Amino acid sequence: MRVPGPGQEPPSQVLAELDPRERHRAAGFLRTRDRLRYVAAHVALRRVLALYLGLEPGAVRFGRAECPRCRGPHGRPEVRGAAGAPHFSLSHSGDLAMVAVAREPVGVDVQTVPPLETMELCGHRLHPQERAEMSELPFGERPLAFARLWSRKEAYLKGLGFGLARRLDADYFGGRGRPAGAVGEWLVRDLGDVGGGADAREAVAAVAVRTRNDHRVTLRTIPLRGVYGSGADGADLMAATAPFRSVDFGMCERST
């Protein structure tokens, strides 16, 4: 979804769908753009999950899974108190936000393509082979290639529940023209260009799913009316959301 800009304040009934912690966090943003993005992304997440759970968006409760590294209560976010709840992931960058929902643990990441200077500052954190491959590309191609690579890494790490606490050079996600691959039990796949709009910044995304089966990802657009509408029974969100692309990936794309 493309998040609202200045002058597109959420209605009061929409803010009421957030829990006290979320409202406190939203109020703490100094920049209006950041606050609106946070509110819209979290309301969208609640409304999407509410459709699966048969709950009101404000009744969805969140917690944290166990950290896979230290067993502390700060792993990937999860739904609490709802039997059979799906796994989910949330990401935002620039004026875009993405929500992923799956039967298995999932991570999603969206990245606006950075300027060359930003890529060069972060490039040293990549896997040595990834750095070597990036250095072979023409300068003009590096920012897009870097954004794709970075989104694959972050989707995987968010799915694991580590976030950026795990070293970014610990796993290899490179390879020219390699939109998909696997690490252990995880399938990782580029979702392509998700920027859209003639005046929008170019953006890419990736998803990681913990599964040994072939998988299909269906991307859907969520216009603002699906988030700022009444949302009472999910009808606004369902009516506003439309699929625009499906991406298949599976066992045949696993690397050794």
Side-chain angles (χ1 to χ4, degrees), residues 4-242:
Q8 294 179 304
E9 292 286 340
S12 57
Q13 69 268 22
V14 168
L15 286 173
E17 294 178 9
L18 302 178
D19 64 27
R21 182 191 61 81
E22 290 169 318
R23 289 195 292 272
H24 178 76
R25 175 79 186 276
F29 286 105
L30 297 178
R31 296 171 54 191
T32 299
R33 179 189 180 192
D34 295 337
R35 176 175 55 81
L36 294 176
R37 179 175 60 189
Y38 177 89
V39 169
H42 283 255
V43 169
L45 173 64
R46 285 181 168 275
R47 292 192 171 193
V48 169
L49 291 172
L51 292 175
Y52 287 89
L53 298 171
L55 297 173
E56 294 293 324
V60 179
R61 292 175 49 229
F62 296 111
R64 288 277 181 173
E66 183 180 82
C67 174
R69 184 172 60 176
C70 69
R71 306 305 177 191
H74 47 258
R76 61 177 173 269
E78 63 181 7
V79 174
R80 290 281 173 85
H87 297 272
F88 69 90
S89 182
L90 173 66
S91 177
H92 46 73
S93 179
D95 64 348
L96 294 172
M98 293 192 77
V99 173
V101 181
R103 288 189 298 269
E104 303 294 337
V106 62
V108 72
D109 187 68
V110 59
Q111 293 285 336
T112 50
V113 176
L116 186 61
E117 296 78 12
T118 300
M119 187 213 75
E120 291 175 339
L121 284 173
C122 300
H124 70 281
R125 302 177 66 186
L126 300 177
H127 187 281
Q129 191 172 345
E130 294 166 347
R131 293 200 301 269
E133 292 172 353
M134 199 69 61
S135 68
E136 295 173 356
L137 293 173
F139 278 97
E141 297 180 14
R142 292 182 188 180
L144 178 58
F146 176 82
R148 288 172 174 161
L149 174 61
W150 196 272
S151 67
R152 291 196 290 269
K153 282 182 176 288
E154 283 218 37
Y156 171 66
L157 295 177
K158 288 167 70 174
L160 282 180
F162 284 139
L164 295 182
R166 182 179 173 91
R167 290 177 59 94
L168 288 167
D169 61 0
D171 307 289
Y172 172 69
F173 288 100
R176 279 193 196 183
R178 179 175 180 258
V183 175
E185 297 180 321
W186 290 81
L187 292 175
V188 184
R189 183 64 158 87
D190 284 350
L191 297 178
D193 176 23
V194 295
D199 59 349
R201 290 179 60 188
E202 191 174 18
V204 297
V207 66
V209 184
R210 193 178 73 187
T211 178
R212 293 187 177 276
N213 301 314
D214 292 353
H215 207 82
R216 166 169 287 188
V217 175
T218 300
L219 284 79
R220 298 175 179 269
T221 56
I222 304 177
L224 189 59
R225 65 186 176 90
V227 178
Y228 277 11
S230 65
D233 57 4
D236 288 327
L237 183 62
M238 292 177 67
T241 302

